[in-house]
Structure formats: structure tokens, C-alpha cells
Amino acid sequence: MPETAPATVREHSVVYAPRIQDLLARETKVFRADARTVGVSDAHLMAEIVAARPVLSHERSVYKPAAGAEIPHDSATRTIRALGQDVTAALRTPPPPVRALAGPWPAAPTTYLRRWLFGSDPLPVSLLARRGVTRSDVLSRLVDRAVTTWPGSAGPDDTATALAGLIRGAADPLERQQAIAMYRRASATLCDGVAALAGNALWLLHATGRRPDDLTATLWETLRLLPPAWMLYRNGDDAGGGGTDGGGAYAGLHPEIRPGDNIALLPLLMHRHPDHWTDPLEFRPDRWAGVADPEKTPGFMPFGFDGARCWAKHLIVPLADRLLTVALAHGLAVRSPRQDAPVPLRSLLAVRFTASVGA
């Protein structure tokens, strides 16, 4: 039987991919997921694992090496600041027509967000954020080559985003190649993450028949019950170089962990432990009422741990809040013909359904 999330108020359910269902069926907080991987959902052990060694560059989704070289810290910092500027600027502008959100989710909001946030960038830079391009290695390489010849000076009517400006302002070919990679990764990570969070929240509201009285609380409860970042992975060997032996760092922390084991940290499971949560499988946004800093809640890890938190965490909830506010104000609603919604095995946990605008 697939797990139901939340209570079956309209007999709606979430049907997880078999491997996720298998994880949800685990009763122990530390278990062997396969011959080389140990799954962990114990909050204290998770903290010890993260503290055992720094996260390696190749374990980061956005800041992993690009163009054959490490991403310098100052480049990473500039990327975060530029993305923050672009989100702030976009939120001050009218959003695209809401009818563009109709269709399959999370694909529809992903495309919508990329248009909203990065649609002002000139060709070919804007192609870096197109789903049809990012899903094709051949098209990605062609666009990358085109972007390398993008003019390096801005005119008086230039509307490029700050993130695109990092490409134009690159000092040398390597920095330019890395800026192109960072543009693609940062735009994809932000838009995909916000779309997944907003979609999961919209489905939970639909499934329970709740009114979204407090969208911010709704999003925090969605991050608890259906967190897009449902698993954090730590490699057990030194695949990234630098002399850090993940297996050696982890092996003494728990009897189940052997030298060389990979570690799967599972917020999806930790967020459902009854020792941290009352009625853990119930969708209850009211549990966040009056909580000043949700991330300090025990047993809650929506954006990772200190030292390895999601670089865009301060943008994701406000942007998802604004997206849902706009969508719901224009009558966007779930119109899926199914009574359940699939959640495939992907890096981001996202409910699949169809939405339409108006009655």
C-alpha cells in the first residue's frame, strides 16, 4: 500500500516511487540501503556526520567544479548576491500571465519562473535557462559556445540580469566558462526548487481541502512533509581529491557505517518521526504559528545543515509564497483527473499533477 500524505480527506494520496516507498517503510533510523550506502534519519547522527568533515566541492550541486577547475569562493559569493538582486528585481515587476501556469506541474511553474526571473536576458544568454536546452547535452554545448561570443559591453538599454552580468564581466576565458556554468546551475536550482515546493504545497492544500490562510506557514509545513530536498548525499571515498577520506571520517560514528560507505541523509524520514512531531503524517500548517525561526525546530532540516545549507534558502520561501499568491488569486487549481499524484524518483521530490486557471 502506498503511503498517504496527508490524511485522506478526499481520498487523494501521494504515490511515491518504489524506492522512496521502501525508505518510508524503514522503522530504524540507521539502516543499510545497499551494499555501499547507509541511510540515516537520526537527527543527532546526522549532525555528527555533517560535522565529521566539510562538504566536498563535488558534493555540491551548484558549486561543483566547472571547466576543469574549482569554483573560487569569491565567484560563488558573487553568484549568490547576483541571484538575490535578480529575484528582488523580479518581485518588483508584474509577473507573466498566470495562464502560463496551467498544465503539468512542476514543469509549468519552472518555465514560468525562468521567464519571470531571467526573461529580460538577451539571446543567447536566456537560452541557458530554457528547459528544452538544459535537458539536451548537445544543445547545451551549442548555447555555451554562442554565449562565449556574447558582447562584453553593456549599452544604455541593456536589461540583462545581474547573473548574466557575471558572464559579461568575466576577466578571462576560464572565468567566463565558469560563469556560464554557474548561470545555468543557479537558475535551474532556484526555479526547479521553488516550482517543486509550490507544487507540493498546492497539492497538499487540494488534497486536504484546506484554505491557504497563511501561505508562509503552509510552505514550512510542506517543507516538513514533502521536502523537495529530501536526501543529502555524502560520498564515502575521496572521489573529489584533497585528501579527505569520507569513509574514515564516518566509520566510527555508528556500528552500521563501514569505511568507504556512502551516506544518505534523509530529511524526508526525519521530518516524520513521532519523537519530534505530533501527528507527523498530518498536514497541519498551524503547527508553525508563532514559530519565529522554523529552521531551529528540532528534527527539521529543510535546507541542510550549518556549513552546507542551500545557498538560495533565503530566496526560496519568499519566491514560492509570491508565486502561489499570484496563482491562487487568479483561480489556479488542481484539475488532475487522478485521485492520487505520483512522486517519481528524482533529486527533487515533486508531486506531479495538472492545474488549470479559473473554473
Side-chain angles (χ1 to χ4, degrees):
M1 286 292 291
E3 179 178 338
T4 298
T8 55
V9 175
R10 296 180 182 174
E11 296 184 354
H12 288 283
S13 62
V14 175
V15 180
Y16 298 95
R19 290 187 65 182
I20 301 178
Q21 289 189 43
D22 178 65
L23 292 174
L24 290 167
R26 302 278 184 167
E27 296 183 358
T28 57
K29 297 181 180 180
V30 184
F31 55 88
R32 182 156 294 279
D34 57 44
R36 286 292 311 277
T37 306
V38 173
V40 178
S41 62
D42 178 83
H44 298 294
L45 181 56
M46 279 187 174
E48 290 180 351
I49 288 171
V50 171
R53 67 163 172 82
V55 61
L56 303 179
S57 60
H58 66 277
E59 293 173 328
R60 296 181 179 273
S61 59
V62 176
Y63 301 126
K64 62 186 177 183
E70 297 282 335
I71 300 295
H73 182 268
D74 58 343
S75 295
T77 301
R78 287 196 298 269
T79 299
I80 297 171
R81 291 175 177 170
L83 198 64
Q85 294 174 23
D86 293 337
V87 170
T88 300
L91 292 179
R92 292 172 179 165
T93 63
V98 177
R99 62 178 179 272
L101 286 171
W105 278 53
T110 297
T111 301
Y112 183 91
L113 286 164
R114 293 187 182 210
R115 177 182 173 187
W116 191 1
L117 300 177
F118 307 106
S120 65
D121 284 337
L123 288 172
V125 176
S126 63
L127 294 177
L128 292 170
R130 300 282 180 88
R131 293 184 75 248
V133 173
T134 59
R135 300 172 79 175
S136 168
D137 291 340
V138 174
L139 288 177
S140 293
R141 287 195 293 270
L142 290 174
V143 170
D144 286 0
R145 291 174 185 171
V147 174
T148 58
T149 63
W150 184 41
S153 60
D157 298 325
D158 181 68
T159 59
T161 60
L163 197 61
L166 297 181
I167 301 174
R168 181 172 49 212
D172 55 58
L174 174 60
E175 185 177 322
R176 193 178 187 89
Q177 291 176 28
Q178 292 194 326
I180 290 171
M182 296 286 275
Y183 183 105
R184 174 177 285 117
R185 295 173 187 175
S187 60
T189 300
L190 179 66
C191 294
D192 291 351
V194 171
L197 174 57
N200 292 352
L202 189 61
W203 176 264
L204 288 171
L205 289 168
H206 168 73
T208 58
R210 288 181 177 269
R211 294 176 58 85
D213 298 321
D214 185 341
L215 273 181
T216 301
T218 296
L219 290 169
W220 284 114
E221 179 68 347
T222 300
L223 284 165
R224 184 192 68 83
L225 196 58
L226 292 176
W230 65 281
M231 181 182 71
L232 302 178
Y233 205 73
R234 294 291 181 267
N235 292 301
D237 55 19
D238 188 19
T244 302
D245 180 5
Y250 301 147
L253 300 179
H254 191 276
E256 187 66 48
I257 302 175
R258 301 185 300 233
D261 276 342
N262 302 313
I263 307 294
L265 306 174
L266 297 161
L268 178 65
L269 305 189
M270 182 177 67
H271 291 178
R272 293 158 181 257
H273 287 163
D275 49 355
H276 293 301
W277 310 95
T278 302
D279 300 323
L281 297 185
E282 296 292 323
F283 179 59
R284 287 177 41 194
D286 57 283
R287 75 173 81 234
W288 299 102
V291 179
D293 189 350
E295 288 191 85
K296 292 184 178 179
T297 303
F300 188 50
M301 192 184 68
F303 297 114
F305 284 98
D306 288 335
R309 290 188 186 274
C310 174
W311 50 270
K313 75 182 191 70
H314 63 293
L315 305 174
I316 289 174
V317 173
L319 191 53
D321 191 313
R322 178 67 187 280
L323 175 65
L324 284 178
T325 297
V326 171
L328 294 173
H330 289 79
L332 186 91
V334 174
R335 306 294 182 190
S336 178
R338 297 181 54 156
Q339 291 292 311
D340 52 28
V343 177
L345 186 65
R346 298 286 190 274
S347 57
L348 286 178
L349 188 149
V351 181
R352 265 56 172 172
F353 59 85
T354 302
S356 64
V357 178

